[in-house]
Amino acid sequence: MAEAEAVQLKEEGNQHFQRQDYKAATKSYSQALKLTKDKTLLATLYRNRAACGLKTESYVQAASDASRAIDINSSDIKALYRRCQALEHLGKLDQAFKDVQRCATLEPRNQNFQETLRRLNTSIQEKLRVQFSTDSRVQKMFEILLDENSDADKREKAANNLIVLGREESGAEKIFQGNGVALLLQLLDTKRLELMLAAVRTLSGMCSGHRARATAILHAVRIDRICSLMSGENEEMSLAVCNLLQAVIDSLSGEDKQEHRGKEEALVLDTKKDLKQITSHLLDMLVSKKVSGQGRDQALNLLNKNVPRKDLAIHDNSRTIYVVDNGLRKILKVVGQVPDLPSCLPLTDNTRMLASILINKLYDDLRCDPERDHFRKICEEYITGKFDPQDMDKNVNAIQTVSGILQGPFDLGNQLLGLKGVMEMMVALCGSEREVDQLVAVEALIHASTKLSRATFIITNGVSLLKQIYKTTKNEKIKIRTLVSSDKTILYSVATTLVNCSNSYDVKEVIPELVQLAKFSKQHVPEEHPKDKKDFVDMRVKRLLKAGVISAMACMVKADNAILTDQTKELLARVFLALCDNPKDRGTIVAQGGGKALIPLALEGTDVGKVKAAHALAKIAAVSNPDIAFPGERVYEVVRPLVRLLDTERDGIQNYEALLGLTNLSGRSDKLRQKIFKERALPDIENYMFENHDQLRQAATECMCNMVVNKEVQERFLADGNDRLKLVVLLCGEDDDKLQNAAAGALAMLTAAHKKLCLKMTQVTSQWLEILQRLCLHDRLSVQHRGLVIAYNLLAADAELAKKLVESELLEILTVVGKQEPDEKKAEVVQTARECLIKCMDYGFIKPVS
């Protein structure tokens, strides 16, 4: 019965295969394999499943299945040829050659086998030539770099070439196999910045997408040395080492999305121990006085990016639990740092905010109440353990920690405010003679006063002290905070004052002709006050930001609705928009919690207030890292206000900056692209791609360039009866470089995703070939690279289409570009052109020059 069922499943699989439903065919063959022991049938099933693997590009599985069929029958010519095809795709040309050689021996008259034999022989010879030249190039580069008498220009060129080689798989492997890691360590020992940077960047390229190599490099360089390099004062070095560690983490954790093949797949590497060691060293960096502020920020960035789950649907949050148990106290120490105290660790303006974001992400990543209770108890023990009547600095650190937590997981912060002595200590510090104590206390009181019950406590116990501080202090940071804290009814008045200071009320446009007419008729014409001019307003805005107005306003936004009215929200939204006007100030606004505070203002309040807040959000979203500006799930709340801002009735600048914000968000993840799609932003984005206004059209096209990665957006382009693809092709032919770059990027991704769109591209306009050739010859390298990617996609899509391209001037263009000597800047362009030529060789349209 089982054998009969196996035969029936095989037949079903064959039918699925003929209908090109390869997944269903694979499933049928797999089920049949479990039911039979007949060797002939087993060989057939493995051979057929290998064919499915080739069709679905699962080459590792295809090679494995073909091998099993060959184990049963060593002369199985179909299995041998299928394994040859799979091995060729995996880059194992010598093994593929042996298989096709065996096929040609069994069937010497088969022209297909003979052609494959010739092609593989040519490819192997070329690979050997490249490998040989790569070996000598690598050796020469190291000789130049390690020779102190080398010319500076030669050394710089060698360093750049080494970095380029490290990013290529073949180059990276040659460096690795040729004692390159030891030589790179020698470069690190030179203590010369340019050589150290070249070494770190080369190592980073070598680690990308290769788990075994990343593991070996991590052990050779050692995690303690990597962290030491990241701890230095040089910002460029710190960032380069951070990128190296990220590449290692991605490869070890599988986040690089690379398919690990051959030996790489066969190696069973236990990466958990290495990942845990990296996390442990990053946590140690947080509390080390030897670490610079820049280094501490990079450690926090790595922890923020790699510890919490990226998708809450994943059950395993063990990395977060490990950090909570082994590092939460260290993160709390960073949050509690007070820059004016002598014991303070080296910090940047962003360090404490990054630590607050990490605490927030870790808390959000917990799955159940017992985990959250454990988290809270650690925080409680840490804060209460700091209270010391004999040591005022410790008390200040404790209150600063509470203040930092309130800027992260607000609910947890409110629970900590209920601890015995916390609120009392805040009020007591207000009475201190030291300005540092007053500043920390007043800042904490602002965060605490956003709940009505806490505000009542402050009014009862601390208003007189706050008034006294306001009168006596000369520190503007303290003045503005006491103003916000002292009275729950003063928020509207404070907001009004801030609107006046920032000049953020609506100003009617003055028509010069009407002014002249009014003067002629001797009517009174109000004149602008000198201190309302832009220079004065900019100066006031700078002083407000320096005084910490953003953190004060962020606390005002958190207040209960009984305190914060819709009118006050509108005023705050106006002020936020005015403060966001200068792009250089937006980093400060984000660091002080402005991005997070704007979200509720954009979702609730008056219509005018919501538009103003959405516009401010767009300004921040356009230039900031969304993970830092809107941590956790908050980033998804930003989408709706930005989409609502896309409206032809709104100002051009509002639409433009909303598009820039959506572009930045859509480049972060497919989940965000899906959110933008569900908010029905696509019709508006497409509408602005038709705009006559150059900047709006460019911004919309850049946004679409990111959105086309989403499958549902691709379906809109595949649908019949629309001109979406035609528009993108025509935009590639415009004279504006930035517009071309965005349109070519969109077209490259669309043609890579669907062969149907490659064919459709040639039908939508007669100018398609001319436009493609212009892209491939473009002066701007990024545009040229995208044009060459489109050319490759068209060549790979269809043999007839490829033939048409080869018969055009495009072949000459590809040949000229492919013959160039690649440097760091041109590496991608030259490599893509060569891949196009190789594809033409595969078809047999051109032949390699011996």
Side-chain angles (χ1 to χ4, degrees):
M1 288 291 288
E3 293 294 337
E5 191 177 346
V7 172
Q8 186 180 346
L9 283 165
K10 186 200 81 168
E11 294 303 323
E12 285 179 12
N14 293 346
Q15 290 170 13
H16 288 309
F17 191 91
Q18 287 169 4
R19 289 197 294 267
Q20 298 184 358
D21 189 351
Y22 304 120
K23 286 186 179 178
T26 301
K27 187 176 179 182
S28 295
Y29 295 141
S30 299
Q31 289 173 340
L33 282 165
K34 295 174 184 177
L35 299 174
T36 183
K37 292 183 180 177
D38 180 86
K39 287 194 173 182
T40 305
L41 182 56
L42 282 170
T44 303
L45 290 167
Y46 280 125
R47 187 172 65 221
N48 290 0
R49 196 167 74 174
C52 292
L54 289 172
K55 292 293 185 182
T56 58
E57 299 182 3
S58 303
Y59 301 120
V60 173
Q61 186 63 46
S64 174
D65 283 341
S67 295
R68 291 186 181 186
I70 294 163
D71 288 343
I72 296 169
N73 177 7
S74 60
S75 299
D76 188 333
I77 200 162
K78 287 185 178 179
L80 280 165
Y81 190 61
R82 283 169 192 171
R83 186 168 72 176
C84 161
Q85 290 174 293
L87 291 169
E88 183 181 359
H89 281 290
L90 292 171
K92 299 177 181 179
L93 302 183
D94 50 343
Q95 294 176 40
F97 185 81
K98 287 177 184 177
D99 280 346
V100 76
Q101 199 172 37
R102 173 86 171 132
C103 292
T105 304
L106 292 169
E107 285 188 17
R109 294 185 180 179
N110 189 310
Q111 289 301 311
N112 197 17
F113 294 160
Q114 294 297 335
E115 178 58 34
T116 305
L117 202 61
R118 282 193 293 272
R119 190 182 72 248
L120 283 174
N121 183 47
T122 304
S123 298
I124 289 168
Q125 295 304 318
E126 176 63 16
K127 188 176 179 183
L128 288 171
R129 186 187 69 77
V130 171
Q131 284 180 346
F132 179 75
S133 64
T134 302
D135 281 342
S136 58
R137 281 168 64 202
V138 169
Q139 192 61 40
K140 187 70 176 172
M141 284 174 211
F142 278 117
E143 286 174 8
I144 293 169
L145 290 169
L146 291 169
D147 182 0
E148 292 183 4
N149 299 318
S150 293
D151 181 68
D153 290 340
K154 279 187 178 179
R155 194 183 294 117
E156 183 182 353
K157 188 175 180 181
N160 288 335
N161 287 340
L162 195 64
I163 294 166
V164 171
L165 267 179
R167 290 172 184 165
E168 298 170 3
E169 175 54 33
S170 59
E173 191 60 23
K174 282 294 150 195
I175 296 170
F176 185 74
Q177 296 292 349
N179 196 36
V181 175
L183 293 170
L184 288 167
L185 289 175
Q186 287 184 41
L187 289 182
L188 289 177
D189 291 334
T190 63
K191 305 299 181 188
R192 293 170 64 177
L193 180 62
E194 72 276 13
L195 298 184
M196 293 172 73
L197 280 169
V200 170
R201 287 167 179 162
T202 304
L203 287 168
S204 184
M206 291 169 67
C207 289
S208 296
H210 200 293
R211 188 177 300 161
R213 202 159 56 222
T215 304
I217 288 171
L218 178 65
H219 292 170
V221 185
R222 299 192 326 275
I223 182 62
D224 56 327
R225 186 175 188 185
I226 293 172
C227 290
S228 175
L229 287 168
M230 195 164 73
S231 300
E233 292 289 346
N234 186 277
E235 187 174 344
E236 197 175 5
M237 174 57 76
S238 188
L239 181 60
V241 178
C242 177
N243 290 335
L244 166 60
L245 258 183
Q246 187 61 58
V248 171
I249 292 167
D250 285 346
S251 293
L252 264 54
S253 62
E255 291 291 332
D256 53 16
K257 308 297 182 191
Q258 295 274 345
E259 182 181 352
H260 300 285
R261 305 167 181 158
K263 291 180 182 177
E264 173 71 1
E265 190 192 40
L267 286 168
V268 181
L269 297 169
D270 183 10
T271 60
K272 288 183 180 177
K273 186 178 178 182
D274 288 328
L275 287 168
K276 191 173 284 187
Q277 190 184 33
I278 292 169
T279 304
S280 177
H281 274 79
L282 290 174
L283 291 170
D284 289 342
M285 281 182 69
L286 298 185
V287 291
S288 171
K289 283 203 167 186
K290 295 179 181 178
V291 177
S292 67
Q294 182 67 34
R296 209 175 314 278
D297 283 3
Q298 298 299 356
L300 284 164
N301 281 329
L302 285 167
L303 290 166
N304 265 313
K305 186 171 181 181
N306 298 294
V307 174
R309 292 169 292 171
K310 291 179 175 62
D311 185 354
L312 294 180
I314 299 168
H315 188 70
D316 181 21
N317 69 338
S318 56
R319 281 185 288 191
T320 292
I321 297 299
Y322 175 80
V323 170
V324 170
D325 289 340
N326 297 278
L328 181 54
R329 291 172 183 82
K330 295 172 182 177
I331 302 165
L332 290 170
K333 182 172 180 177
V334 177
V335 168
Q337 292 300 295
V338 180
D340 294 329
L341 293 180
S343 61
C344 184
L345 297 167
L347 306 174
T348 70
D349 292 342
N350 295 326
T351 308
R352 288 188 64 246
M353 178 55 69
L354 288 170
S356 289
I357 289 170
L358 179 55
I359 289 173
N360 191 51
K361 285 189 170 185
L362 292 172
Y363 192 72
D364 285 348
D365 200 41
L366 300 174
R367 291 185 293 114
C368 57
D369 287 341
E371 289 179 0
R372 283 183 277 273
D373 288 341
H374 176 59
F375 192 102
R376 177 178 50 77
K377 283 175 184 175
I378 293 174
C379 295
E380 287 178 358
E381 288 169 8
Y382 181 85
I383 292 162
T384 53
K386 283 281 180 185
F387 286 148
D388 185 348
Q390 306 302 319
D391 190 339
M392 190 58 76
D393 285 1
K394 283 188 175 181
N395 295 328
V396 173
N397 285 134
I399 298 305
Q400 184 82 321
T401 305
V402 175
S403 186
I405 294 171
L406 282 164
Q407 293 175 68
F410 190 65
D411 293 340
L412 172 65
N414 266 315
Q415 290 177 12
L416 297 175
L417 287 173
L419 285 173
K420 186 179 178 183
V422 171
M423 293 294 293
E424 289 80 1
M425 179 58 73
M426 287 182 190
V427 174
L429 286 175
C430 288
S432 170
E433 293 180 359
R434 294 197 309 180
E435 276 196 354
V436 63
D437 299 349
Q438 294 174 5
L439 183 59
V440 169
V442 174
E443 178 80 35
L445 283 172
I446 291 172
H447 292 293
S449 64
T450 54
K451 283 288 179 184
L452 198 55
S453 58
R454 309 289 180 208
T456 305
F457 176 91
I458 295 164
I459 291 164
T460 307
N461 298 281
V463 167
S464 58
L465 276 170
L466 290 168
K467 287 179 179 176
Q468 185 62 30
I469 292 172
Y470 182 79
K471 288 177 184 176
T472 57
T473 187
K474 293 181 181 178
N475 188 320
E476 289 185 0
K477 290 184 179 181
I478 297 175
K479 270 185 183 291
I480 198 164
R481 284 160 173 77
T482 56
L483 198 62
V484 174
S485 310
S486 60
D487 187 348
K488 68 176 182 180
T489 62
I490 206 171
L491 292 189
Y492 183 81
S493 303
V494 171
T496 304
T497 305
L498 291 174
V499 166
N500 289 329
C501 288
S502 58
N503 213 23
S504 50
Y505 43 77
D506 290 329
V507 180
K508 290 184 179 179
E509 185 181 356
V510 177
I511 301 170
E513 291 81 1
L514 291 179
V515 172
Q516 291 300 320
L517 186 62
K519 285 180 178 178
F520 181 75
S521 59
K522 296 183 179 180
Q523 297 290 323
H524 173 66
V525 179
E527 293 186 2
E528 183 182 47
H529 193 281
K531 290 191 177 179
D532 279 340
K533 289 183 178 177
K534 191 174 187 309
D535 289 347
F536 277 100
V537 174
D538 289 347
M539 198 184 303
R540 290 201 297 271
V541 165
K542 291 286 182 193
R543 291 189 71 179
L544 283 169
L545 287 169
K546 193 175 179 182
V549 71
I550 295 296
S551 57
M553 288 168 64
C555 294
M556 293 166 73
V557 172
K558 293 177 185 175
D560 287 340
N561 286 334
I563 302 173
L564 187 68
T565 64
D566 283 352
Q567 288 72 25
T568 307
K569 288 178 186 176
E570 181 185 318
L571 294 174
L572 290 173
R574 288 176 180 277
V575 178
F576 268 119
L577 181 57
L579 297 177
C580 289
D581 190 54
N582 189 337
K584 292 180 181 177
D585 294 332
R586 292 173 200 170
T588 304
I589 292 165
V590 168
Q592 295 180 11
K596 197 163 57 173
L598 274 164
I599 295 172
L601 294 179
L603 296 172
E604 299 171 2
T606 65
D607 289 341
V608 172
K610 286 190 285 188
V611 170
K612 299 284 184 189
H615 191 187
L617 274 176
K619 285 178 179 288
I620 289 173
V623 298
S624 304
N625 180 343
D627 295 336
I628 294 174
F630 316 109
E633 297 296 307
R634 287 190 186 88
V635 70
Y636 301 104
E637 297 176 44
V638 180
V639 173
R640 182 170 295 172
L642 297 193
V643 174
R644 285 177 180 169
L645 207 56
L646 295 178
D647 192 321
T648 50
E649 293 184 5
R650 308 223 188 280
D651 293 344
I653 189 68
Q654 290 175 331
N655 282 286
Y656 175 67
E657 291 185 320
L659 286 166
L660 292 184
L662 288 169
T663 301
N664 197 9
L665 294 179
S666 60
R668 302 304 294 180
S669 70
D670 199 56
K671 198 173 175 183
L672 269 169
R673 288 189 282 272
Q674 191 67 25
K675 175 69 174 172
I676 293 169
F677 183 83
K678 285 184 177 177
E679 291 292 341
R680 300 179 181 175
L682 260 293
D684 290 317
I685 296 169
E686 289 168 353
N687 182 42
Y688 284 114
M689 287 172 72
F690 284 96
E691 263 288 338
N692 289 326
H693 192 289
D694 290 344
Q695 285 181 301
L696 277 175
R697 189 168 48 157
Q698 175 203 319
T701 309
E702 286 175 348
C703 189
M704 185 60 75
C705 180
N706 286 343
M707 288 298 296
V708 294
V709 182
N710 181 267
K711 288 183 179 178
E712 292 186 57
V713 177
Q714 291 169 11
E715 292 297 326
R716 290 171 70 90
F717 281 86
L718 284 165
D720 294 326
N722 69 76
D723 288 333
R724 292 186 181 94
L725 189 65
K726 180 179 179 180
L727 174 62
V728 174
V729 175
L730 292 174
L731 289 176
C732 289
E734 291 286 329
D735 293 329
D736 186 325
D737 283 4
K738 290 181 179 178
L739 181 61
Q740 275 186 302
N741 197 48
L747 193 56
M749 284 184 277
L750 287 166
T751 51
H754 295 280
K755 291 181 180 180
K756 182 181 174 182
L757 289 176
C758 294
L759 299 171
K760 189 175 180 180
M761 174 185 162
T762 65
Q763 298 161 3
V764 292
T765 171
S766 58
Q767 301 171 42
W768 70 272
L769 185 55
E770 180 190 342
I771 289 170
L772 179 60
Q773 290 171 353
R774 282 181 61 194
L775 291 177
C776 293
L777 285 169
H778 207 282
D779 294 336
R780 186 171 172 177
L781 289 175
S782 61
V783 178
Q784 186 181 22
H785 178 239
R786 292 173 184 203
L788 290 165
V789 171
I790 296 165
Y792 179 83
N793 295 339
L794 298 184
L795 287 166
D798 181 76
E800 285 300 314
L801 176 54
K803 188 177 181 183
K804 188 173 182 179
L805 290 170
V806 169
E807 289 169 353
S808 73
E809 293 176 6
L810 186 67
L811 178 61
E812 187 180 343
I813 295 168
L814 294 174
T815 307
V816 170
V817 177
K819 282 183 178 179
Q820 294 179 35
E821 187 65 32
D823 54 27
E824 186 178 9
K825 291 180 180 177
K826 291 185 178 179
E828 286 184 325
V829 168
V830 175
Q831 182 61 32
T832 309
R834 290 176 180 178
E835 286 172 4
C836 289
L837 292 170
I838 291 167
K839 182 57 69 175
C840 295
M841 287 165 57
D842 289 346
Y843 284 124
F845 297 150
I846 60 172
K847 292 182 179 178
V849 178
S850 59

